């Protein structure tokens, strides 16, 4: 495999909290255009790994690369402009803003954020604002959320909030998205919708995803490769069929029963 096909890689990634070794030398990579699952029980180090990749936690050691560039320890806002975004297990919507406004906030290059621009280049500010509104409305339509566009985001269902978070990644046209439990707290109907949106973004727009998820059916549906963490280390990686039948995984995670 050529290096140009690897969009995201972590090597020797570790995080210590005092005497607690939460992540211990994790290595894996994500190919361009892939959907990779990251699974394991609570406490396996999945979210800590995501937080380090996304710039929310500095690694104790190790290296993270994005499109061949060393991004280890870079801030979340810097990574956002490089096209790397993440969502959260608990949705982080702006509850007192509408769904449309939540999407608009996520758009980059908004000249109106500068006082200088708002005073002296008002025409350009209005043009960009109109572009952002149009993109936000198109995103709502893509997600099937047009009917809640003017609803306060805090009033949305759990599944709608998950879709809105995915929509925020679309406003930046993010090409690498870390999804932290997109199925958590979502009813089965909207979970299928979330999975459909992930598939559509992957197949039609070339998005690359790395997904933490406890729902194994969702992982099996979406992910070509699955990385299994145990006690902060990679236990194995392979297809979902290989994971289901690996004795180490069965013993460690599923109590000796094949899932």
């Amino acid at each position: 495999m050529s290096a140009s096909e690897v969009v995201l890689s972590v090597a020797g990634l570790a995080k210590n909290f005092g005497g607690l070794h939460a992540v211990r030398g994790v290595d894996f990579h994500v190919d361009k255009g892939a959907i990779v699952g990251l699974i394991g029980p609570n406490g396996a180090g999945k979210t800590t790994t995501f937080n380090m990749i996304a710039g929310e936690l500095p690694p104790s050691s190790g290296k993270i690369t994005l499109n061949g560039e060393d991004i280890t320890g870079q801030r979340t806002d810097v990574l956002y402009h490089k096209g790397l975004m993440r969502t959260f297990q608990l949705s982080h919507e702006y509850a007192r803003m509408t769904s449309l406004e939540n999407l608009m906030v996520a758009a980059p290059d908004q000249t109106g954020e500068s006082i200088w621009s708002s005073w002296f280049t008002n025409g350009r500010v209005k043009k960009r604002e109109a572009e952002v509104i149009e993109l936000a409305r198109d995103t709502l339509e893509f997600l099937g959320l047009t009917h809640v566009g003017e609803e306060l985001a805090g009033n949305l269902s759990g599944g709608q909030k998950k879709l809105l978070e995915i929509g925020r990644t679309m406003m930046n046209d993010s090409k690498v998205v870390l999804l932290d439990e997109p199925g958590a707290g979502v009813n089965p109907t909207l979970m299928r919708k979330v999975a459909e949106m992930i598939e559509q973004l992957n197949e039609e727009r070339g998005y690359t995803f790395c997904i933490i998820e406890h729902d194994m059916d969702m992982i099996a549906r979406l992910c070509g490769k699955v990385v299994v963490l145990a006690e902060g280390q990679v236990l194995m990686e392979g297809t979902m069929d290989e994971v289901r039948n690996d004795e180490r995984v069965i013993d460690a995670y599923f109590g000796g029963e094949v899932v």
Side-chain angles (χ1 to χ4, degrees):
M1 179 181 298
S2 66
S4 62
E5 293 177 311
V6 177
V7 67
L8 175 69
S9 69
V10 301
L13 199 62
K15 182 62 180 179
N16 304 324
F17 297 98
L20 173 64
H21 303 292
V23 177
R24 312 175 183 217
V26 164
D27 299 275
F28 69 88
H29 69 269
V30 179
D31 291 339
K32 184 177 181 180
I35 305 179
V36 172
L38 190 63
I39 70 170
N42 292 331
K46 305 181 300 299
T47 296
T48 301
T49 297
F50 261 26
N51 287 340
M52 288 188 284
I53 295 172
E56 293 168 57
L57 279 177
S60 300
S61 60
K63 183 177 181 180
I64 307 164
T65 60
L66 178 69
N67 292 316
E69 177 188 353
D70 186 349
I71 60 166
T72 310
Q74 292 191 13
R75 298 192 316 269
T76 300
D77 60 310
V78 174
L79 298 176
Y80 169 82
H81 291 290
K82 295 180 185 291
L84 174 68
M85 285 189 68
R86 64 86 52 92
T87 67
F88 296 86
Q89 179 181 352
L90 299 176
S91 300
H92 285 196
E93 76 283 352
Y94 298 105
R96 296 183 180 274
M97 297 173 68
T98 67
S99 300
L100 182 70
E101 290 167 341
N102 266 261
L103 294 180
M104 291 174 62
V105 167
D109 304 324
Q110 299 196 52
T111 52
E113 294 174 351
S114 163
I115 294 177
W116 177 271
S117 296
S118 63
W119 284 351
F120 298 106
T121 59
N122 189 248
R124 184 168 42 162
V125 170
K126 288 183 177 180
K127 180 176 183 294
R128 177 56 180 159
E129 183 178 9
E131 292 171 350
V132 170
I133 292 172
E134 182 178 4
L135 177 58
R137 286 176 175 159
D138 288 346
T139 300
L140 286 172
E141 183 177 1
F142 177 86
L143 296 170
L145 295 177
T146 300
H147 62 295
V148 294
E150 300 303 323
E151 181 67 62
L152 294 180
N155 295 336
L156 302 184
S157 71
Q160 289 170 334
K161 289 177 181 179
K162 296 284 186 174
L163 288 169
L164 193 64
E165 283 213 326
I166 292 173
R168 288 208 294 259
T169 72
M170 295 171 61
M171 293 299 294
N172 189 37
D173 197 25
S174 304
K175 292 305 183 185
V176 181
V177 181
L178 310 177
L179 298 176
D180 194 346
E181 296 199 41
V186 179
N187 69 54
T189 299
L190 275 175
M191 184 180 288
R192 287 192 293 271
K193 179 69 172 178
V194 170
E196 288 171 6
M197 291 300 98
I198 294 169
E199 288 173 328
Q200 202 166 343
L201 287 169
N202 175 252
E203 294 168 5
E204 297 181 8
R205 305 196 183 192
Y207 279 37
T208 299
F209 290 99
C210 187
I211 303 175
I212 293 174
E213 182 55 60
H214 285 290
D215 187 300
M216 293 299 101
D217 289 335
M218 191 174 194
I219 288 289
R221 170 177 175 171
L222 294 173
C223 302
K225 181 173 81 171
V226 181
V227 179
V228 185
L229 293 188
E231 298 179 348
Q233 297 176 302
V234 175
L235 179 64
M236 69 157 294
E237 64 176 61
T239 66
M240 193 61 205
D241 284 342
E242 291 169 338
V243 168
R244 288 181 190 272
N245 293 289
D246 189 286
E247 292 294 336
R248 295 166 297 174
V249 177
I250 295 170
D251 290 341
Y253 298 103
F254 309 123
E257 297 179 3
V258 179
V259 295

